[in-house]
Amino acid sequence: ADQFWNATPAEMEAVVSAMLERKAAGEGPPSRPDIAKLQEMFPDG
């Protein structure tokens, strides 16, 4: 948990980009479909 909360914005972007199978970080913020995919992968509760 500490790794998550201590991550820099660049580190978080790299992780999200990898999870969404983007070719490179820096493609802009996640779209609504991207966010829905992440929510499916990691549901709350």
Side-chain angles (χ1 to χ4, degrees):
D2 287 340
Q3 289 177 337
F4 173 83
W5 293 112
N6 292 321
T8 65
E11 291 169 332
M12 290 299 295
E13 180 182 16
V15 169
V16 169
S17 292
M19 289 173 25
L20 293 173
E21 300 176 355
R22 292 180 173 185
K23 293 182 181 178
E27 291 184 26
S31 65
R32 285 188 183 268
D34 288 341
I35 292 170
K37 182 177 179 181
L38 291 171
Q39 288 174 323
E40 287 178 22
M41 294 169 69
F42 301 97
D44 290 337

